[in-house]
Amino acid sequence: VSLSVQFIGTGSALPKKNANPSCQYVFCENRHFLIDCGEGTQIQLRKHGVKFQYIQGIFISHLHGDHYFGLVGLLSSMHLLGREKAIDIYSPPELEQIVRSQLELGGARLAFDIRFHNIEKNDEGIVFEDKVLEVHAFKLKHKIPTHGFIFKEKKKLRSLLGEKFHKAGLSIAFIEKFKLGEDVIDRQGKQHSYLDYTANEKPSYSYAYCSDTAYSENVISWLKDLDVDVLYHEATFSASEKDRAKKTMHSTSVDAGTVAAKSGVKFLFFGHLSARYDYFNVHIDEILPVFKSVKPAIEGEKYRIEELLRQH
Ligand SMILES: [Zn+2]
């Protein structure tokens, strides 16, 4: 499956009947990640059928409890379920001490390694990369050091026109080159163009996660520079609570819509609503005049970015 996201927890700090604290599940071509891991994440993952052991990495945006209090519980359960494969955690540096103390003071010894990758306060740039995907961290504007994350598919390979290729009787060693968009010269000295044997590559997609943050120009320039398709942006408050948003360094609905509009993304999800709101309608009404393609992030809902963009 190409780049996809499922909302696991979309609430904010205070407990609410229908909104768990922050967590999102991002997956792409057999790669599986969580962003944030609020309290109760493991129960939420169970509820929505996400397999614990598939998760290879967890990105933690910042150390406010509603973004990571579920971590030790999840790690412990992974151990109980027999995990041996290491897990990577990308987070503010202090998290390592928190997690290791929690485990050690209780005498827990996990059967798998936790590899911590520190994201320092002022770090920005690629924090994870493999053949298919890269993840960029960038600074948000919040009360404590906080990072957003952009998941970006790498440029894909051109697709082989199998029948044409086999008819030509060329060496299969050429396939890789053709897919990369390179011409080859065979042993007889004849040149073969990749254009004859491959079709254009499929487009690559990207997804950005921004929670928690006040309105930030830095966010806009990162989204623009990396040409982000779909944005999740927090909208803790409605526009009438502008002052409270400012004080707590969160965003209003209009802030989220403005960031989406200015950065040129194609679709916006919003969430992390303060417990004072029972419904999404106030936020939607306020965002629509600023940015049209918007939906609330609803717990359990799953989207393939490619499909979402085709529909909107
Ligand atoms: Zn926070």
Side-chain angles (χ1 to χ4, degrees):
V1 210
S2 63
L3 188 62
S4 305
V5 60
Q6 184 172 18
F7 302 115
I8 303 299
T10 59
S12 56
L14 286 171
K16 230 177 127 186
K17 232 186 342 191
N18 300 317
N20 283 267
S22 294
C23 178
Q24 298 192 2
Y25 171 45
V26 177
F27 52 104
C28 176
E29 312 283 353
N30 286 320
R31 285 135 179 95
H32 305 263
F33 302 96
L34 294 184
I35 319 176
D36 284 341
C37 191
E39 192 182 340
T41 288
Q42 57 174 334
I43 296 161
Q44 290 294 103
L45 294 177
R46 270 280 189 268
K47 194 163 134 192
H48 298 296
V50 178
K51 299 240 181 3
F52 290 18
Q53 308 299 38
Y54 284 3
I55 296 162
Q56 66 189 81
I58 304 178
F59 296 82
I60 302 291
S61 64
H62 67 305
L63 296 184
H64 282 155
D66 55 321
H67 294 260
Y68 84 94
F69 279 172
L71 195 53
V72 170
L74 176 63
L75 294 170
S76 303
S77 297
M78 285 173 164
H79 169 74
L80 293 175
L81 291 165
R83 184 177 185 118
E84 290 178 351
K85 218 179 101 197
I87 193 161
D88 293 290
I89 296 182
Y90 307 81
S91 66
E94 297 80 2
L95 187 65
E96 175 163 10
Q97 197 192 341
I98 297 173
V99 169
R100 297 222 191 272
S101 309
Q102 269 185 296
L103 292 168
E104 276 163 28
L105 292 172
R109 192 165 282 166
L110 304 185
F112 59 92
D113 284 337
I114 309 175
R115 297 187 294 229
F116 283 92
H117 305 263
N118 292 343
I119 303 175
E120 304 282 347
K121 191 173 150 195
N122 289 317
D123 283 355
E124 296 194 286
I126 291 184
V127 289
F128 168 86
E129 184 176 20
D130 71 5
K131 246 168 46 189
V132 168
L133 197 68
E134 54 194 38
V135 183
H136 301 251
F138 58 99
K139 287 199 283 184
L140 300 178
K141 197 171 162 187
H142 199 37
K143 287 202 148 171
I144 57 172
T146 304
H147 286 85
F149 299 102
I150 295 170
F151 286 71
K152 193 170 174 61
E153 287 180 323
K154 287 198 171 159
K155 192 171 186 300
K156 295 175 183 171
L157 294 175
R158 297 177 63 81
S159 48
L160 188 75
L161 302 169
E163 206 174 323
K164 263 186 157 174
F165 178 80
H166 291 298
K167 258 195 190 151
L170 297 171
S171 158
I172 54 165
F174 293 170
I175 293 180
E176 194 62 26
K177 298 233 171 207
F178 285 152
K179 283 186 166 180
L180 287 166
E182 294 170 19
D183 294 342
V184 294
I185 295 169
D186 66 19
R187 257 189 242 158
Q188 284 74 42
K190 192 174 168 220
Q191 182 162 346
H192 301 274
S193 165
Y194 69 90
L195 292 169
D196 294 334
Y197 301 106
T198 56
N200 283 345
E201 68 276 5
K202 291 196 177 134
S204 303
Y205 297 96
S206 51
Y207 174 73
Y209 174 88
C210 297
S211 180
D212 308 354
T213 186
Y215 174 86
S216 157
E217 292 289 342
N218 184 54
V219 169
I220 294 170
S221 68
W222 270 90
L223 300 174
K224 257 195 199 159
D225 287 354
L226 282 153
D227 203 13
V228 167
D229 296 308
V230 176
L231 167 66
Y232 166 87
H233 197 287
E234 69 126 296
T236 307
F237 297 103
S238 63
S240 59
E241 297 280 353
K242 213 168 140 186
D243 294 339
R244 186 174 291 272
K246 211 172 201 171
K247 225 170 75 193
T248 56
M249 297 191 85
H250 279 295
S251 291
T252 65
S253 51
V254 174
D255 291 333
T258 307
V259 170
K262 281 196 176 178
S263 60
V265 299
K266 301 180 188 92
F267 200 88
L268 169 68
F269 288 107
F270 67 93
H272 200 269
L273 266 57
S274 155
R276 73 190 62 209
Y277 306 102
D278 279 327
Y279 303 101
F280 297 109
N281 54 342
V282 175
H283 284 69
I284 292 179
D285 289 348
E286 289 173 353
I287 295 174
L288 277 175
V290 188
F291 190 79
K292 289 271 169 272
S293 300
V294 60
K295 260 188 189 183
I298 293 184
E299 191 191 302
E301 288 192 352
K302 199 191 304 191
Y303 296 91
R304 194 146 70 92
I305 303 301
E306 181 180 2
E307 219 169 80
L308 176 75
L309 294 178
R310 208 180 303 133
Q311 289 162 358
H312 290 92

